Amino acid sequence: MDVYSPSGPLPNIPDDLTVPQFIFAYQHECRPVRGPSSTWLIEDETGREIGKEEIIQSQFGQPIDLEHGANPDFSSDELFYQLEQTKASLIIVHPDSIDTAHSAAQKAKLPLNRLVMFDTPPQSPDNYLKIGALIHKGLTSLPAFVERKLNSGEAKTKLAFLSFLSGTTE
């Protein structure tokens, strides 16, 4: 599909990179150059600044190829439908939605050790893996996978984010 803009030609968009490769390894002509000590994320509760290298390192051993979001108000059956359609192998969930995610994971025959919860006090039950533990594992591990290299044009055929939501609010 060709895209045209009334303001002139669009900048080049590489078609041989995965989303993480585009974000972390490619300097696009429209992106400002960031210094090595630039802050990329800030933890809400602590104000701790997180840089590019920590984000990259935290992914070691945990590649994520496809992401999709779910409405936290979904029922277990609605979430199960999404898990089934996407063939999800991991659920990252807020503690407020853990019961729904747990039920949907069981229906989808997804092992409960693939249910990961955000570290959000004070409601974080201890019987689930926390996202902080996964990040720590990534930060202390060597890469456990070979990063996929796309062929020219291949990124145009790969799905990076799948949304079952319309984008509207009720």
Side-chain angles (χ1 to χ4, degrees):
M1 177 174 102
D2 291 331
V3 178
Y4 299 96
S5 169
S7 60
L10 296 173
N12 175 53
I13 299 172
D15 60 7
D16 62 347
L17 300 175
T18 64
V19 172
Q21 289 165 348
F22 180 79
I23 292 172
F24 298 117
Y26 181 76
Q27 181 58 49
H28 193 271
E29 61 192 79
C30 295
R31 177 188 289 169
V33 176
R34 293 177 182 243
S37 62
S38 295
T39 299
W40 283 52
L41 300 171
I42 300 174
E43 282 186 351
D44 186 40
E45 284 192 24
T46 65
R48 184 174 79 88
E49 296 179 355
I50 301 169
K52 174 183 174 182
E53 291 307 314
E54 183 176 344
I55 296 169
I56 292 170
Q57 217 177 0
S58 71
Q59 297 300 308
F60 286 172
Q62 333 277 318
I64 298 175
D65 292 331
L66 171 67
E67 298 178 25
H68 92 83
N71 186 328
D73 290 330
F74 276 171
S75 69
S76 174
D77 287 337
E78 290 168 316
L79 182 57
F80 166 68
Y81 173 77
Q82 288 190 7
L83 297 175
E84 191 175 52
Q85 293 300 306
T86 61
K87 297 175 179 57
S89 60
L90 178 73
I91 303 172
I92 301 174
V93 63
H94 188 278
D96 291 349
S97 301
I98 193 67
D99 292 337
T100 301
H102 182 108
S103 175
Q106 285 183 313
K107 288 179 191 173
K109 295 183 176 38
L110 186 66
L112 295 181
N113 67 352
R114 305 295 293 172
L115 191 58
V116 180
M117 195 166 33
F118 286 108
D119 301 315
T120 308
Q123 304 170 305
S124 295
D126 290 334
N127 51 338
Y128 295 99
L129 182 63
K130 306 295 187 295
I131 194 75
L134 280 182
I135 291 171
H136 177 73
K137 181 179 178 184
L139 290 171
T140 58
S141 301
L142 295 173
F145 64 97
V146 176
E147 187 174 13
R148 186 149 187 264
K149 303 293 184 197
L150 301 181
N151 295 317
S152 180
E154 191 176 358
K156 293 179 181 180
T157 67
K158 301 297 177 195
L159 189 59
F161 185 83
L162 179 59
S163 178
F164 284 83
L165 308 173
S166 66
T168 61
T169 56
E170 296 179 13

